[in-house]
Amino acid sequence: HQQKLADQQKEAVVSTQSTGAEVMSHVAGYSVTIDVTCRDLQEKCKAERKPWSISKCLDTHCAVGEFIPAEKLKHNDVEMKLTVNGELRQHVNTREMLFDVPTLLEYVNRYITLLPGDLVQTGTPEGVGPMEKGDKVTVSIPGVSEASFTIV
């Protein structure tokens, strides 16, 4: 699909290492993602009363940053930034999330079996916005990890 309008959304992501009810003891590590939504496809699907999840599932629509082992990061105090062409679009700390990581994982685990290697995205803060061809998008945990790509 050749998208006409895509939005960037920075999200924290949690990687599991095994299954189990005590979800935090099974967290392997953390990363950040750039979750891209193809808005024109989303609106078309909505207008046709079809599922619009496909607008988030296209190839290259979820760039994942470097994996950080769980013991190297305090999940409840992680600063994250997203810039587009050097302009800060999103800046948040995980302590500001509506639901903390244990609550999110426990909720997801009630309905979906989490398997080793699964990634659970935590949601995005304010600052979601459009990207254009040629834009350079960078997501980071300052001083820990950074990932960049250019929209083609």
Side-chain angles (χ1 to χ4, degrees):
H1 175 76
Q2 187 73 312
Q3 65 266 21
K4 294 184 175 124
L5 179 58
D7 285 349
Q8 98 303 317
Q9 303 164 52
K10 177 229 40 76
E11 299 192 25
V13 65
V14 180
S15 174
T16 57
Q17 63 184 354
S18 62
T19 60
E22 296 294 323
V23 292
M24 290 309 292
S25 66
H26 299 284
V27 170
Y30 304 94
S31 188
V32 287
T33 63
I34 302 172
D35 177 15
V36 178
T37 303
C38 186
R39 295 291 182 204
D40 62 331
L41 181 57
Q42 182 184 45
E43 293 306 316
K44 180 178 185 262
C45 289
K46 284 180 177 180
E48 295 173 358
R49 301 185 51 79
K50 293 181 180 175
W52 52 268
S53 55
I54 192 69
S55 67
K56 300 179 81 55
C57 300
L58 301 173
D59 291 348
T60 73
H61 277 222
C62 187
V64 180
E66 177 184 0
F67 176 80
I68 301 144
E71 63 274 5
K72 294 194 177 202
L73 213 57
K74 290 173 53 178
H75 68 83
N76 59 349
D77 188 19
V78 179
E79 179 185 16
M80 297 175 288
K81 294 181 178 184
L82 181 137
T83 63
V84 177
N85 301 322
E87 174 193 342
L88 185 63
R89 296 261 184 103
Q90 294 182 298
H91 184 195
V92 71
N93 190 296
T94 55
R95 68 178 172 260
E96 299 169 36
M97 293 181 357
L98 292 177
F99 302 102
D100 63 12
V101 171
T103 301
L104 289 169
L105 290 178
E106 288 167 7
Y107 178 80
V108 169
N109 201 39
R110 266 190 243 148
Y111 301 100
I112 299 169
T113 303
L114 295 174
L115 299 173
D118 281 350
L119 301 178
V120 178
Q121 291 179 300
T122 61
T124 191
E126 64 181 290
V128 172
M131 299 178 297
E132 308 275 334
K133 186 176 180 178
D135 283 350
K136 181 179 179 185
V137 182
T138 302
V139 64
S140 68
I141 298 173
V144 178
S145 176
E146 182 175 294
S148 296
F149 68 92
T150 301
I151 304 296
V152 293

